[in-house]
Amino acid sequence: MAVYIHHLRLWFKQKVSREEFDSEARKLLNEESVHLHNEFLLAIITRCQTLSSTIVSKDLNIPTHIPTGIKLLKKESRGRPKKIRPARASFQQRFQPTDPLTHPQVPTVIHQSPSEDDGRVGFCARELTLPDFFLVHGRMLVAAWDYGLEEVEDDAVRLLMAAMEHQLKNILTAVFSRRSAFKLREGRFKYAMGCQAPKPHLYNTGHVADHMEYSEATSISSKGAHIPSVKPSIEVGRGDAAFQLACGGDAVPPRVPVTLYDLLDALQVYKNVIPSHTVYATNVERILHKLWHPSHEEVEQEHIHRQEVEIKKKAAPISRQLRV
């Protein structure tokens, strides 16, 4: 028995595991008395629960029923002086049972049916659209919380959306300028994407003039008002356009849509489009990773997704009529 109590104390002190304690107990007991081991542990747990409930009743000033045998023992032991223990706050077992009818009704959860706009919700990559104000605001909130900030102002979101559109414009300009001819204004600004490139071996090509290539300053009147520069007439503009077409090359054949190969070529030529080296390297790796044909399973999954979207769009007016 002493060896069993010794192993029990080691288990209570977490020096041995439950499996090791059970194995040592089975070595000390025979097959007929193994059930006493489980009954002894259950008796200890029951005793602990009884003591904890008695402590809770004393803390909450709830009268409890005390057996008669315990009262007689208390009467006989009145002669002995008892040590007065200081009252200590107990933060365990403070649950108080209560009647739910005495409290106001708990609000019930109302399950709303999906709205009509739920069928149109999707990913920006599938819808081929830029993220809206609320999506950008949510992503900025997550980034702000990571750096210890609490909120994001609306002006910061609008500034980020304007910067995103400007960056996308620069990337598209670089891609289109690699695919077709264009003109320059003031030697820097690209415009007239897709025009015919002049033939360099023609003599009149060097005499081609375009009044849109350079801007003219406004003149100031005696009253201080700005007067715009005089533009050429419509006849002069038509003549210049006909002269440019005569010096230009053949008609441009219809082009295929922009692919990832065009985007990769533009980013490799115009590396300053994305100033950050980290962002540039990450996006080039993504482009190289996606330069492959999708498998049959992915094509089927995309087709199934489109069918589900079409079914939801067709079922939306029917469900609206049923609600009415």
Side-chain angles (χ1 to χ4, degrees):
M1 186 65 181
V3 179
Y4 181 84
I5 297 298
H6 173 70
H7 290 296
L8 182 62
R9 289 177 180 175
L10 294 178
W11 178 50
F12 285 160
K13 294 179 181 180
Q14 297 183 355
K15 293 184 179 180
V16 295
S17 62
R18 174 63 190 277
E19 290 76 10
E20 294 176 354
F21 175 59
D22 289 342
S23 62
E24 295 294 335
R26 291 179 181 275
K27 293 178 182 178
L28 297 175
L29 302 174
N30 52 19
E31 296 180 358
E32 298 178 356
S33 59
V34 171
H35 66 281
L36 299 177
H37 169 64
N38 298 329
E39 293 179 1
F40 180 65
L41 295 179
L42 290 175
I44 293 175
I45 296 173
T46 305
R47 182 61 177 173
C48 294
Q49 292 178 351
T50 305
L51 292 175
S52 62
S53 61
T54 306
I55 294 173
V56 172
S57 62
K58 289 182 179 180
D59 292 338
L60 300 177
N61 296 325
I62 301 175
T64 56
H65 176 70
I66 302 176
T68 310
I70 298 177
K71 291 182 179 179
L72 293 176
L73 290 175
K74 285 185 177 181
K75 289 181 181 180
E76 295 177 357
S77 60
R78 281 183 180 179
R80 298 180 181 180
K82 294 183 179 180
K83 296 181 180 180
I84 300 175
R85 297 180 180 180
R88 296 181 181 179
S90 176
F91 297 98
Q92 298 179 355
Q93 302 290 339
R94 289 298 182 92
F95 175 76
Q96 299 182 11
T98 181
D99 187 6
L101 299 178
T102 58
H103 294 271
Q105 186 178 3
V106 180
T108 57
V109 179
I110 301 175
H111 298 280
Q112 297 182 355
S113 58
S115 59
E116 299 175 1
D117 298 335
D118 291 344
R120 292 177 287 180
V121 175
F123 297 98
C124 297
R126 288 181 175 176
E127 295 182 355
L128 303 179
T129 57
L130 292 177
D132 55 358
F133 181 86
F134 300 100
L135 180 58
V136 175
H137 190 251
R139 295 295 297 271
M140 291 185 67
L141 276 176
V142 174
W145 292 337
D146 292 340
Y147 287 94
L149 303 178
E150 295 182 356
E151 59 180 355
V152 176
E153 295 184 357
D154 296 343
D155 295 339
V157 180
R158 296 189 184 94
L159 180 61
L160 181 60
M161 294 184 67
M164 179 175 55
E165 294 176 1
H166 185 73
Q167 180 66 28
L168 182 60
K169 185 263 299 180
N170 293 339
I171 295 175
L172 292 177
T173 303
V175 173
F176 296 151
S177 63
R178 291 289 300 172
R179 286 166 55 92
S180 58
F182 57 91
K183 297 181 180 180
L184 287 177
R185 184 179 179 87
E186 304 292 341
R188 293 179 297 172
F189 303 103
K190 299 178 182 180
Y191 72 100
M193 294 285 181
C195 64
Q196 295 181 2
K199 295 180 180 180
H201 57 273
L202 294 179
Y203 175 77
N204 292 328
T205 302
H207 300 281
V208 174
D210 190 359
H211 64 277
M212 295 295 293
E213 292 183 357
Y214 299 96
S215 59
E216 299 178 1
T218 58
S219 58
I220 302 176
S221 62
S222 59
K223 297 181 179 180
H226 289 265
I227 302 175
S229 59
V230 180
K231 300 295 181 182
S233 61
I234 298 177
E235 289 76 9
V236 175
R238 290 178 178 175
D240 292 342
F243 187 70
Q244 292 177 13
L245 290 176
C247 296
D250 300 333
V252 180
R255 299 181 181 275
V256 297
V258 177
T259 61
L260 290 178
Y261 293 97
D262 299 329
L263 180 59
L264 180 62
D265 178 67
L267 292 180
Q268 289 178 346
V269 174
Y270 301 99
K271 295 184 178 181
N272 58 346
V273 174
I274 303 178
S276 176
H277 176 72
T278 305
V279 180
Y280 175 82
T282 303
N283 285 276
V284 170
E285 289 178 359
R286 289 181 179 178
I287 294 172
L288 293 174
H289 178 69
K290 291 184 179 180
L291 288 177
W292 56 278
H293 191 277
S295 61
H296 294 284
E297 290 78 7
E298 294 179 349
V299 174
E300 291 178 359
Q301 290 295 330
E302 188 68 22
H303 182 64
I304 293 172
H305 173 72
R306 293 178 180 177
Q307 289 181 347
E308 292 177 354
V309 172
E310 293 295 333
I311 293 172
K312 289 181 180 179
K313 290 181 179 180
K314 293 180 181 180
I318 300 175
S319 60
R320 181 170 53 187
Q321 293 177 0
L322 293 176
R323 293 174 189 172
V324 175

mmCIF file of all heavy atoms in Angstrom, residues 217-229:
data_model
loop_
_atom_site.group_PDB
_atom_site.id
_atom_site.type_symbol
_atom_site.label_atom_id
_atom_site.label_comp_id
_atom_site.label_asym_id
_atom_site.label_seq_id
_atom_site.Cartn_x
_atom_site.Cartn_y
_atom_site.Cartn_z
ATOM 1 N N ALA A 217 2.931 78.330 -75.916
ATOM 2 C CA ALA A 217 2.522 79.068 -74.730
ATOM 3 C C ALA A 217 1.413 80.059 -75.059
ATOM 4 O O ALA A 217 1.284 80.530 -76.204
ATOM 5 C CB ALA A 217 3.723 79.797 -74.133
ATOM 6 N N THR A 218 0.630 80.373 -74.080
ATOM 7 C CA THR A 218 -0.435 81.362 -74.242
ATOM 8 C C THR A 218 0.131 82.771 -74.138
ATOM 9 O O THR A 218 1.136 83.009 -73.461
ATOM 10 C CB THR A 218 -1.504 81.166 -73.165
ATOM 11 O OG1 THR A 218 -0.894 81.280 -71.875
ATOM 12 C CG2 THR A 218 -2.151 79.793 -73.290
ATOM 13 N N SER A 219 -0.525 83.676 -74.809
ATOM 14 C CA SER A 219 -0.134 85.093 -74.744
ATOM 15 C C SER A 219 -1.008 85.818 -73.732
ATOM 16 O O SER A 219 -2.165 85.457 -73.518
ATOM 17 C CB SER A 219 -0.262 85.739 -76.123
ATOM 18 O OG SER A 219 -1.606 85.617 -76.595
ATOM 19 N N ILE A 220 -0.451 86.860 -73.132
ATOM 20 C CA ILE A 220 -1.149 87.612 -72.090
ATOM 21 C C ILE A 220 -1.574 88.958 -72.660
ATOM 22 O O ILE A 220 -0.764 89.697 -73.257
ATOM 23 C CB ILE A 220 -0.251 87.809 -70.863
ATOM 24 C CG1 ILE A 220 0.195 86.441 -70.322
ATOM 25 C CG2 ILE A 220 -0.995 88.584 -69.774
ATOM 26 C CD1 ILE A 220 1.166 86.523 -69.174
ATOM 27 N N SER A 221 -2.834 89.287 -72.497
ATOM 28 C CA SER A 221 -3.372 90.558 -73.001
ATOM 29 C C SER A 221 -3.003 91.706 -72.071
ATOM 30 O O SER A 221 -2.399 91.509 -71.014
ATOM 31 C CB SER A 221 -4.892 90.448 -73.150
ATOM 32 O OG SER A 221 -5.480 90.207 -71.876
ATOM 33 N N SER A 222 -3.404 92.898 -72.474
ATOM 34 C CA SER A 222 -3.119 94.076 -71.648
ATOM 35 C C SER A 222 -3.867 94.056 -70.323
ATOM 36 O O SER A 222 -3.424 94.647 -69.334
ATOM 37 C CB SER A 222 -3.478 95.348 -72.435
ATOM 38 O OG SER A 222 -4.867 95.314 -72.785
ATOM 39 N N LYS A 223 -4.990 93.338 -70.290
ATOM 40 C CA LYS A 223 -5.764 93.244 -69.057
ATOM 41 C C LYS A 223 -5.299 92.098 -68.152
ATOM 42 O O LYS A 223 -5.859 91.903 -67.077
ATOM 43 C CB LYS A 223 -7.240 93.064 -69.390
ATOM 44 C CG LYS A 223 -7.842 94.255 -70.144
ATOM 45 C CD LYS A 223 -9.314 94.012 -70.411
ATOM 46 C CE LYS A 223 -9.937 95.195 -71.145
ATOM 47 N NZ LYS A 223 -11.377 94.988 -71.420
ATOM 48 N N GLY A 224 -4.304 91.360 -68.571
ATOM 49 C CA GLY A 224 -3.782 90.269 -67.754
ATOM 50 C C GLY A 224 -4.428 88.927 -68.007
ATOM 51 O O GLY A 224 -4.135 87.959 -67.301
ATOM 52 N N ALA A 225 -5.294 88.822 -69.024
ATOM 53 C CA ALA A 225 -5.953 87.551 -69.327
ATOM 54 C C ALA A 225 -5.086 86.739 -70.276
ATOM 55 O O ALA A 225 -4.363 87.292 -71.113
ATOM 56 C CB ALA A 225 -7.325 87.803 -69.943
ATOM 57 N N HIS A 226 -5.165 85.428 -70.132
ATOM 58 C CA HIS A 226 -4.400 84.526 -70.986
ATOM 59 C C HIS A 226 -5.180 84.244 -72.265
ATOM 60 O O HIS A 226 -6.358 83.864 -72.223
ATOM 61 C CB HIS A 226 -4.109 83.213 -70.258
ATOM 62 C CG HIS A 226 -3.098 83.353 -69.157
ATOM 63 N ND1 HIS A 226 -1.762 83.092 -69.356
ATOM 64 C CD2 HIS A 226 -3.217 83.741 -67.859
ATOM 65 C CE1 HIS A 226 -1.096 83.294 -68.237
ATOM 66 N NE2 HIS A 226 -1.960 83.695 -67.307
ATOM 67 N N ILE A 227 -4.519 84.398 -73.376
ATOM 68 C CA ILE A 227 -5.127 84.154 -74.680
ATOM 69 C C ILE A 227 -4.512 82.882 -75.241
ATOM 70 O O ILE A 227 -3.280 82.789 -75.382
ATOM 71 C CB ILE A 227 -4.889 85.336 -75.633
ATOM 72 C CG1 ILE A 227 -5.459 86.628 -75.029
ATOM 73 C CG2 ILE A 227 -5.506 85.061 -76.999
ATOM 74 C CD1 ILE A 227 -5.147 87.854 -75.849
ATOM 75 N N PRO A 228 -5.327 81.854 -75.579
ATOM 76 C CA PRO A 228 -4.750 80.613 -76.113
ATOM 77 C C PRO A 228 -4.107 80.843 -77.466
ATOM 78 O O PRO A 228 -4.444 81.779 -78.201
ATOM 79 C CB PRO A 228 -5.959 79.680 -76.204
ATOM 80 C CG PRO A 228 -7.135 80.587 -76.287
ATOM 81 C CD PRO A 228 -6.791 81.813 -75.493
ATOM 82 N N SER A 229 -3.166 79.977 -77.771
ATOM 83 C CA SER A 229 -2.458 80.071 -79.056
ATOM 84 C C SER A 229 -3.391 79.696 -80.197
ATOM 85 O O SER A 229 -4.358 78.940 -80.025
ATOM 86 C CB SER A 229 -1.237 79.164 -79.053
ATOM 87 O OG SER A 229 -1.632 77.819 -78.826
#
